[in-house]
Amino acid sequence: MTAPTPSAPPTPPPPDFRAAGEHHYRTARLAADAQLSVSADHLAGLAAECAIKAILLAYLGSRLSTKDKPFSPALKLPPPQPTPGEKVKPQPPKEYEHGHLPDLWAQLAEVVKISQGRVGPVFQQMLQQNPFQSWHVAGRYCSGTSISTSDIEQHLKAAYNLIAAFEYARQTGNGTLR
C-alpha cells in the first residue's frame, strides 16, 4: 500500500480589486458610523488602495505578475547598460509594483501623467493632493487616539471618489476616467 499523495492547495482566484474596494468602503462606512475609528480609517485606506489598483489594471495599463501582484510596465525602467567592470543594480520592485498608500497614490499620479488622453481633468485634479500622505497600513495597530473624524471623512471621501471614477469609466464603456 502506498501513502496518499498530498494534493496541492487550490489555486486562489485572481484578485478582484474593484469588488474588494467596494466591500472595504461599505465596511469602513459601517465602522465610521459605529465610531470605530481605527477600523474605519484602515478600511477606508484599503478601499482606496483596491480602487486605485482596479483603475490601474483596467484603464491605465498595469498588469498582474505571475504571483498576482499588480505592477506598471510604464514605471519599469529598462535595465541600464553596464560599463565594463560596473555592477548594475536592478530597479527596486517597489518603484513599479503597486503596494500600499501613500506611495501607491504617487504611482497612480505618475502613470496618469504618462498615459495622457485616458484621464479627464476632474480625475487629474483629484490626484493633485494626496489625502493619504500621512496614512499608513500599519495604522491598524494604533490606539486610535491619533485618528481624527476629519481624517476618516477625508479618507472615506477619497475612496468613494476613486470607486466612482472606476464605475464611471466602466459604465460609459469608454475607459475614460472623469
Side-chain angles (χ1 to χ4, degrees), residues 13 22 42 46 52 63 70 81 94 96 108 132 143 164 168:
E22 289 177 6
H42 178 68
L46 291 181
I52 290 170
R63 300 181 192 142
Q81 294 300 318
K94 182 181 177 185
Y96 58 87
L108 174 62
F132 294 96
S143 67
Y168 175 82

Side-chain angles (χ1 to χ4, degrees), residues 66-163:
T66 56
K67 295 182 179 183
D68 284 338
K69 291 187 177 211
F71 73 97
S72 175
L75 298 176
K76 191 168 183 178
L77 303 173
Q81 294 300 318
T83 57
E86 178 187 21
K87 210 174 195 178
V88 177
K89 290 183 181 179
Q91 181 183 13
K94 182 181 177 185
E95 292 181 7
Y96 58 87
E97 287 181 349
H98 304 312
H100 295 296
L101 291 168
D103 297 339
L104 182 60
W105 191 277
Q107 284 184 334
L108 174 62
E110 185 62 28
V111 171
V112 163
K113 212 184 301 181
I114 294 167
S115 64
Q116 298 172 359
R118 291 184 281 182
V119 178
V122 173
F123 192 78
Q124 287 180 3
Q125 185 177 4
M126 182 176 72
L127 296 178
Q128 298 286 324
Q129 196 169 20
N130 183 347
F132 294 96
Q133 191 59 48
S134 62
W135 186 91
H136 194 275
V137 72
R140 63 185 170 213
Y141 305 120
C142 74
S143 67
T145 57
S146 63
I147 302 171
S148 71
T149 303
S150 64
D151 288 339
I152 294 169
E153 286 306 316
Q154 178 184 22
H155 297 157
L156 285 167
K157 180 181 178 188
Y160 177 85
N161 288 341
L162 289 161
I163 292 167

